[in-house]
Amino acid sequence: MNGFIITGFDHLQNQKLLGFLILITYMLILLGNGINLCIILTNRHLHKPMYILICNLAVVDIMFSSTCSTTMISVLLAEIKTVSYYSTYFYHLGDFTECMALTLMAIDRLIAIRLPLRYHSIVTNSRTFLLISLTWLAGFAVIGFVISVVDSVPYCQPVIRYVFCEYASMIRAACVNPEQYFFIPVMISLWPMCGQFPFIVCTYAVLAYSVTKLSNNSSKKQMINTCVSHLIVLLSFYAPKLVSGILTRIGVVLNLTERNAILIVASLVSPLINPAVYCTRTKEIRTRLADVFLPPSLLGTRK
C-alpha cells in the first residue's frame, strides 16, 4: 500500500479556516525553532551541552510537526487527500525522540544542580552528542519495527478516518482485528508514560528541593527559571497524552472529532511552545536575540 486517503476533515464545515490556522501555527513553529537553531549554532559561547540539547529538541520539533502539518495543510488547503504512509515513520520517530530529548534535558539539569563542581567534567559536548546519537538510533530501530508491522498487514481500502497517518489509524484501516495489533504500541507507550514521565517528574522534584537549599539568591533565581522552562516544555508535550490516557482508562468514549482534536493539539502545541519558552526564559538566548533584532540605541538604553 503506497498511499492513503485522509477523510478525517470531511465532516467539518470551515476546513479552509482550520487549514489557515494550522498553516500559521506551522510557520510559527518553523520560525521559532529556526531562530533558536541559528542563535545557538552561530554563537560559540552557546556551544555547551544544555544548548546542544535545545538544538536537538528544535530539530525533533521541526520533524515532528512537519510530518503531520504538511499532511493536514495539503488536505485542507490544497485538497490533496492522498498521502504516503511513510510519513507515519517520521511522525512516530519524532514522538519517540522528543520523549528521549526531554529525558536527557532533565538529567542534564539534575547533574548541573546536584553536582555543580563536577558538571563540566561529567557532561561534555562529546558525551552529549553521543547520547543524542544513541536516542536517534534507538528511535530508528524501535519505530522501524513498528512500521514493519503496518507494512505487513493487508488493507481492504486505503481510507483513514483521522487527520493524518499514524499507527492506530492505519491499523484500523486494515483488514485485520485491530485489537491484537495495538499490543505493540501500548507496550512501547508504557515506557514514556510509566517510565520516562515519572522519572522526569521525580527528577524535577529533586531539583526543586535542591534549589530551596541554595544560599545564593541569584543562583537560586537562575535555577528556578531554568527548571520552570523545562517543566513548561515537559507539560506541553505530555499533557495531551495524559488527558487521552486518563479519559480512556475511566471509560470515556471519545468521538472521531475529539480524537482528531487531541491528535492535532498533541502534534502542534508542544513544538510551538518550546522555542517560545527557550527564547523568553533562557537569558543567554534572550540576550542574543535582543542583540540581533533590537537597534543599538535601544540596547544602550536597556543597559
Side-chain angles (χ1 to χ4, degrees):
M1 184 66 65
N2 294 322
F4 290 86
I5 300 172
I6 303 295
T7 62
F9 294 113
D10 287 359
H11 65 289
L12 296 180
Q13 295 182 346
N14 299 318
Q15 294 186 19
K16 297 294 183 183
L17 176 60
L18 178 59
F20 278 114
L21 289 175
I22 293 174
L23 175 61
I24 293 170
T25 302
Y26 180 52
M27 292 174 65
L28 290 174
I29 289 171
L30 294 180
L31 178 64
N33 285 290
I35 288 174
N36 268 356
L37 284 171
C38 289
I39 288 175
I40 294 172
L41 293 176
T42 57
N43 190 342
R44 293 184 60 86
H45 296 293
L46 298 181
H47 293 179
K48 301 174 183 178
M50 186 180 82
Y51 298 102
I52 294 172
L53 292 172
I54 292 176
C55 279
N56 177 55
L57 185 64
V59 171
V60 171
D61 282 337
I62 290 173
M63 180 184 68
F64 184 45
S65 59
S66 294
T67 53
C68 55
S69 296
T70 52
T71 296
M72 293 188 287
I73 291 168
S74 66
V75 171
L76 291 168
L77 298 182
E79 298 183 1
I80 301 174
K81 296 185 178 182
T82 302
V83 297
S84 171
Y85 85 93
Y86 291 108
S87 62
T88 308
Y89 181 87
F90 294 101
Y91 172 77
H92 288 292
L93 178 63
D95 193 31
F96 182 92
T97 50
E98 179 123 1
C99 291
M100 301 302 291
L102 294 174
T103 303
L104 290 179
M105 295 174 81
I107 295 172
D108 171 74
R109 289 301 87 199
L110 179 65
I111 297 173
I113 293 178
R114 296 293 293 178
L115 302 169
L117 298 179
R118 297 179 57 194
Y119 173 77
H120 294 291
S121 62
I122 296 174
V123 184
T124 62
N125 286 357
S126 58
R127 288 175 181 171
T128 302
F129 277 119
L130 176 61
L131 289 173
I132 290 173
S133 300
L134 290 175
T135 62
W136 280 87
L137 288 174
F140 283 125
V142 172
I143 304 306
F145 171 72
V146 171
I147 298 305
S148 68
V149 175
V150 172
D151 198 29
S152 65
V153 297
Y155 291 92
C156 303
Q157 52 184 354
V159 176
I160 289 180
R161 297 190 303 152
Y162 292 82
V163 293
F164 53 83
C165 284
E166 47 95 30
Y167 183 88
S169 62
M170 294 177 67
I171 288 298
R172 288 190 175 97
C175 301
V176 295
N177 178 11
E179 297 302 324
Q180 60 183 343
Y181 288 92
F182 285 144
F183 176 78
I184 297 172
V186 167
M187 289 297 101
I188 294 175
S189 64
L190 280 177
W191 167 241
M193 296 304 296
C194 300
Q196 286 177 288
F197 181 68
F199 170 76
I200 296 172
V201 170
C202 290
T203 298
Y204 284 111
V206 173
L207 292 178
Y209 175 78
S210 301
V211 168
T212 60
K213 299 297 182 181
L214 293 175
S215 57
N216 189 314
N217 289 331
S218 177
S219 299
K220 183 183 293 187
K221 183 179 179 181
Q222 183 179 3
M223 291 299 181
I224 289 173
N225 283 335
T226 302
C227 290
V228 168
S229 300
H230 286 272
L231 282 173
I232 293 172
V233 168
L234 178 70
L235 292 175
S236 69
F237 178 72
Y238 278 103
K241 299 178 182 294
L242 290 172
V243 169
S244 178
I246 291 171
L247 291 177
T248 302
R249 294 298 299 173
I250 63 177
V252 176
V253 179
L254 301 175
N255 60 39
L256 185 61
T257 301
E258 292 166 344
R259 288 180 181 272
N260 284 336
I262 291 177
L263 275 176
I264 294 172
V265 169
S267 304
L268 297 181
V269 170
S270 181
L272 178 64
I273 288 177
N274 292 352
V277 167
Y278 289 118
C279 280
T280 57
R281 299 194 65 88
T282 304
K283 182 180 178 181
E284 291 80 359
I285 296 178
R286 189 171 66 245
T287 302
R288 180 62 177 165
L289 199 61
D291 291 340
V292 172
F293 290 102
L294 293 182
S297 58
L298 186 56
L299 286 174
T301 303
R302 284 172 46 136
K303 290 178 182 179

